[in-house]
Every structure is written in C-alpha cells, then in structure tokens.
Amino acid sequence: MTEQPPEMSKEAFLNMAAQLGLEGDDDRMQTLFEETKGSLARAAGVFEIDTTGYAPSPINPQFEVGA
Amino acid sequence: MSDLDGRTIAELAALIGSKQVSPVEVAEASLRKVEETEPKLHSFITLTADQAMAAAKQAEVEIAAGRYKGPLHGIPFVSKDLFWTKGVQTTSGSQADLGFLPDEDSTVVARLQDAGAYSLGKTNMSEWAFSITGYNSYFGWSNNPWGLDRMPAGSSSGTGTAVSGGVAPMGLGTDTGGSIRAPAANCGLTGLKPTYGLVSRYGVTPLSWSLDHAGPLCHSAEDVALTMNVLAGHDPRDPYSAKREPVDHTRGLNDGVKGLRIGVPTDYVWDVMDPEVEASVREAIAELGRLGAIIVDVSLPALEWASRMGGTLTSTEAAAYHGARIRRDGHLYDQRTRMRIESGMFISAETYHQTQRVRAMAGQKLAETFRNVDLLATPTMPMPALPQSVGVGVTQVGGKSLPSSALMTRLTQIFNVNGHPALSAPCGFSSDGLPLALQLVGRPFEDALVLRAAHAYQGATDWHARRPVF
C-alpha cells in the first residue's frame, strides 16, 4: 500500500486555486474548498488498495481499440 | 391514445414492413403522444416535429417504392441533448451551450438516420451528463411516468421518460457511471451500456473520455439488439473505437440460457439493499436458473473499488475537457456542477495514476471472474426510484445511510471503469408500483450474449411489457 497524500490546508487550496485561475467571492471559495476536500478524501481511498505489480492502465488492457 | 403508443420497434417494424401502418401514421401518433405527455413529463429540450414529419414522409415514399431498409426504417427515436445534431440546438443540458448548432451529426445519429429512423427531438439531461439523479437546475426535472414525483434518474433522464412515456420506442443515452442503466431501471426500460469502444462517441459531448459509453434505451432486449445492429461498428473518428468485425446482435437471440454460467456476487452487492429489490432480483436470477442457466456464487471485491475510482476519473477528465471554458463561462454552469468539475483540477497526478493502477487490477480481477462464468447478475440499483425531493442528499436504504448519487452508481460504475457490456432490464415492481431492475453483465464484446440472456428472461416474464398510466 502507498502512503496517502496529506490533507490540503485552506491556505494551500487558495494558492493552488489562484494558480489554476479559479476565482470567486469568499463564500464560493469556501464552498469549493469543502467540495475539493471531499473529492480528495474520496480519491485517497485508492491508496488503501495494494496495487503492487500493477502499472496504470487508462483502459482495460484486454480491449482492442484504436483507429 | 393511439394503439401505436408504447409499441416496440419489433412490433412497429412488422406493421411498417408489411405496409399495415405507414411511417407517417407512426410519426403522427408519436407527435400526438408528445403533445399529450410533455406537460407532465418535460422530456424534451428541443422538439423537431417538422423535421420528424418530413423524414417520416420520406420513409413512406421509400418503402412504397420497395426500398425498405430494415427494421428501423420509419421508426422514431429521441436523443439525449449531447448527441450533436446538424443545425439543431445541442445544449448538453447546459445554459452555457444554449444556441449551439453543430455543423454535423454525431456518428450514431447519422447511422440511425441512414437506417431510416428519424428524430423527434432532443431530450433533457443532467448538465454535461454529470449527475445520476437527472436533475437539471436550468431545464428542471423530467418526471418519471411511473411516479411523477420520483427521480427518472440520469443523466439520460429525458430519454428515459420519453421512451417510458410512449412517445418513441427507442432513445439514445450515454453512460459514464450508470446514466443509461439508471434511467432504464427507474423508468421500467431495457437499456444497454455497450462494451467500451463498440459504439462511437464521435459528436457526443464528452464528460469523461475513458468512461463514456453511448447506447440505447428501449422497451425490450430484442429492440436493443435491433438498434445495436445499427449503432455498433468501427468509427475512425473516435480514437477509442474498436476495430472489430460487425456482429448481428439478433443472431442467437432466441438460443436461450441453457448451460450458461451466471455468476451472482456474494459480497458488497447485497450489503446496502432494499428488501423488495433483493427479492425481485433473486427471483429473476432463479427464473434464469429455471430456464437452464447454471447459477454460481462469485466473490468479486473489485466491485467495491469503483466508488474510489469513479469520482477521480470523472472529475479529472471533466476538468481537462471543461478547464478553459469553465474559467470563462463558469457563471453559466450550475454552481454545483461547476464545483464538481473544478475540484478535479486539484487531484494530483500521483492520485490519478494510483487510480489507474487500481483500475488495471480491477480489470484483471473481473477477467479472472469471467473465466468461470459467462455473465454476472446483480440488481441495477439498490432501491426503486427515489423521491425527487431527496435530490443529492443522504437517504436510507436497507438500514444504511448514503448520498443518493453513491447509492445510484453503487452497482453500475465498476462496469464503466472496466468497459464490460452491462444491461438493465425490468424484473418487477415495488409495493408502491415503481419498476425494479436486474443488471446483466458480460465479457467485453459479448454484448450479444447479454442480450440473449435478457431476451430469454423477457420471453418468460412480462415486466418489460407493462406500460405506465400517468
């Protein structure tokens, strides 16, 4: 299993939001911060799964696709 | 009310092909049904009645001249409003795309038209296809014909309500986490999320490139098979389109399920489950057993991983697609949808790639399971259609409390992540008259086998033949 990334602070969020070009009043940015924290927490669940021996696969490797 | 209302493609094709009914009569009946039902159902964003009548007249001339193209000739359909339609507004359910007039048809719409089918109009949907409830804050709810205050489910909400409401025998939807199967389940229809790569997404506004699938919602597996014969096929304009020989999805449809091994997951699936859904799905599985299938228990922990992967894959890919647009026009997006997309911008490459590793592992686990079974059977959703008033809030099912969207994608999303064909078919009704649904899942590119099993089940039951009174 891989270690989970640390939880994002409000300060780090606002810095990153500015870099990403995301703007809004305080209420909007607070709501977006809460939404983002929730998304990151759910996403972090994948670090609890032991994926030793597996490489990232954007599609099912058994598929034959491509133009 | 016309005696053509609620007919299947197979029934209408038999009437049209034998010239007992003309395509114009079918179109007139459909448009009367739209007029009758639309005030209650709100299925459509754009109605194209004039174009539909013109196409029906053309079909009538062609058939009278002996140029019958096949079972879809003269058949009306509806399409979710993210399938590009030349010169016809395509909003993708967003205020931001009001007035967008594509300069070409999506591949699947063009294929249907080439087969002689014609569109009645563009149906309501969750904005950018990014919600399973079907709610759209700009266009409002489409209402479920089986309970007007119930969720139709989405994101192909208007397609579900229009077909269920009897205005057309077939509609196009897309499915990124369950958006064909959930409306099919809630609206009492048969809907197929085909194998990834089998049906072109060219000219379909993307939500998540690696999860999006296009497919049909119909009244029966037979109709889905007839439609898949037109929709499926390689399209060089979709980079993920599979290069495979065309398959006749109706061939073998009547071969039954005798000897097929159908796996029923023992874990996860039943942990959060409405008792009426469980009873009806277990009875449906028992019926498949009585028809000769071999029912076997399977353990499939990968099912649980979908909830950890789906959100990351969808929001990051949606962020990649919408990024520039959302910075400019974000005020025109539903603000909840906007934030769900924006939150994807904060997910690290490390997390995204770890998710893709889990995806690879889940794909292998599923492949191992399918070495021992031909199909999987589960409920499509853990509960009947929720009240619209629940929205995206938390609700209780089987004694457990979960957000509605997590409940509704709980059993469907894994098959988007790994691309397997998955079909939802009606298998009963709740005590308050809402449809319940069985999900059948197959190996990649064995969509025809999924349809064969569903057709066998529908030959022994009549749940799919019932129509709502509203």
Side-chain angles (χ1 to χ4, degrees):
Chain A
M1 275 177 266
T2 315
E3 194 177 329
Q4 291 190 21
E7 188 174 307
M8 179 178 273
S9 69
K10 178 77 179 280
E11 185 184 8
F13 163 78
L14 289 173
N15 284 336
M16 198 167 167
Q19 289 172 34
L20 290 167
L22 302 179
E23 297 170 341
D25 60 24
D26 289 348
D27 284 350
R28 174 175 132 71
M29 297 312 284
Q30 178 61 31
T31 309
L32 180 57
F33 176 52
E34 298 297 334
E35 177 74 30
T36 300
K37 274 203 304 185
S39 291
L40 295 179
R42 286 189 292 277
V46 294
F47 291 98
E48 295 165 3
I49 300 168
D50 185 353
T51 52
T52 305
Y54 288 90
S57 172
I59 53 167
N60 192 326
Q62 64 192 299
F63 286 15
E64 308 146 33
V65 296
Chain B
M1 181 87 179
S2 151
D3 63 0
L4 296 176
D5 294 348
R7 295 278 194 140
T8 64
I9 293 173
E11 290 168 343
L12 289 172
L15 293 170
I16 291 171
S18 59
K19 299 183 183 171
Q20 294 176 65
V21 169
S22 79
V24 169
E25 288 174 294
V26 173
E28 287 171 346
S30 287
L31 292 169
R32 273 198 305 274
K33 192 68 176 174
V34 170
E35 201 171 317
E36 175 194 324
T37 60
E38 192 58 8
K40 291 180 182 172
L41 301 184
H42 308 138
S43 300
F44 288 88
I45 290 176
T46 303
L47 191 61
T48 52
D50 291 345
Q51 293 98 315
M53 279 309 301
K57 285 175 184 166
Q58 184 185 331
E60 185 159 295
V61 169
E62 289 167 347
I63 292 168
R67 300 196 300 274
Y68 183 60
K69 295 178 177 177
L72 264 58
H73 202 171
I75 299 292
F77 69 94
V78 299
S79 60
K80 184 177 184 177
D81 202 21
L82 48 46
F83 289 93
W84 290 17
T85 40
K86 185 177 181 180
V88 176
Q89 176 178 252
T90 300
T91 67
S92 300
S94 181
Q95 184 186 186
D97 266 2
L98 284 176
F100 169 52
L101 302 175
D103 56 14
E104 60 182 329
D105 289 319
S106 56
T107 294
V108 289
V109 166
R111 285 186 182 208
L112 289 172
Q113 290 172 166
D114 288 347
Y118 58 90
S119 173
L120 294 174
K122 311 294 294 292
T123 52
N124 195 12
M125 56 179 286
S126 310
E127 187 185 35
W128 306 118
F130 204 178
S131 168
I132 194 75
T133 67
Y135 178 62
N136 184 304
S137 62
Y138 186 77
F139 293 108
W141 282 103
S142 291
N143 298 319
N144 188 331
W146 291 99
L148 295 173
D149 62 346
R150 297 286 172 151
M151 292 184 190
S155 57
S156 311
S157 48
T159 293
T161 61
V163 177
S164 177
V167 307
M170 182 263 290
L172 289 174
T174 57
D175 191 318
T176 303
S179 289
I180 288 173
R181 290 160 287 163
N186 275 15
C187 297
L189 300 173
T190 304
L192 176 70
K193 180 201 79 63
T195 299
Y196 186 79
L198 187 60
V199 173
S200 169
R201 290 100 37 92
Y202 180 78
V204 183
T205 305
L207 171 60
S208 172
W209 294 287
S210 75
L211 299 173
D212 293 342
H213 302 65
L217 291 91
C218 302
H219 290 296
S220 68
E222 181 182 24
D223 279 9
V224 171
L226 291 169
T227 307
M228 283 298 293
N229 278 354
V230 173
L231 298 183
H234 180 60
D235 178 7
R237 296 187 297 178
D238 176 351
Y240 286 105
S241 175
K243 282 181 177 172
R244 296 182 74 89
E245 290 300 311
V247 169
D248 180 353
H249 290 83
T250 61
R251 192 173 169 190
L253 202 58
N254 294 315
D255 288 355
V257 292
K258 192 171 182 184
L260 290 183
R261 293 174 64 83
I262 299 180
V264 181
T266 53
D267 37 21
Y268 182 73
V269 167
W270 311 100
D271 296 349
V272 179
M273 187 58 57
D274 175 274
E276 288 188 321
V277 175
E278 177 162 356
S280 76
V281 171
R282 288 203 185 276
E283 170 55 27
I285 293 166
E287 182 63 44
L288 288 164
R290 289 191 287 274
L291 292 169
I294 301 158
I295 310 298
V296 293
D297 288 343
V298 295
S299 177
L300 196 50
L303 292 175
E304 187 267 336
W305 301 339
S307 63
R308 310 190 203 192
M309 293 186 273
T312 296
L313 296 171
T314 309
S315 62
T316 52
E317 293 182 26
Y321 178 75
H322 285 278
R325 181 83 185 276
I326 214 165
R327 291 181 182 92
R328 188 182 71 234
D329 296 334
H331 63 288
L332 295 175
Y333 285 45
D334 170 83
Q335 291 308 292
R336 184 169 181 279
T337 308
R338 177 187 186 180
M339 289 194 194
R340 290 182 73 198
I341 296 170
E342 288 173 334
S343 73
M345 299 179 186
F346 293 85
I347 292 174
S348 69
E350 178 190 11
T351 301
Y352 182 76
H353 285 294
Q354 176 65 12
T355 302
Q356 298 285 32
R357 294 176 77 189
V358 176
R359 184 182 211 171
M361 192 162 78
Q364 182 173 317
K365 301 291 182 197
L366 274 169
E368 286 168 6
T369 299
F370 274 104
R371 282 192 203 114
N372 298 316
V373 299
D374 300 296
L375 299 164
L376 289 175
T378 75
T380 305
M381 288 204 290
M383 68 285 152
L386 294 170
Q388 291 177 0
S389 58
V390 169
V392 294
V394 171
T395 194
Q396 204 171 66
V397 170
K400 310 257 174 62
S401 294
L402 283 169
S404 61
S405 55
L407 282 166
M408 294 170 79
T409 56
R410 183 176 163 80
L411 304 177
T412 52
Q413 193 159 38
I414 186 69
F415 304 114
N416 294 81
V417 171
N418 289 107
H420 288 249
L423 172 142
S424 181
C427 69
F429 286 87
S430 68
S431 49
D432 47 1
L434 297 169
L436 309 174
L438 167 75
Q439 179 175 234
L440 292 170
V441 184
R443 298 185 190 97
F445 300 106
E446 292 192 359
D447 303 58
L449 187 66
V450 174
L451 291 166
R452 178 177 135 193
H455 183 64
Y457 176 71
Q458 293 183 338
T461 59
D462 72 349
W463 307 114
H464 65 292
R466 302 193 188 185
R467 301 288 182 266
V469 178
F470 56 94

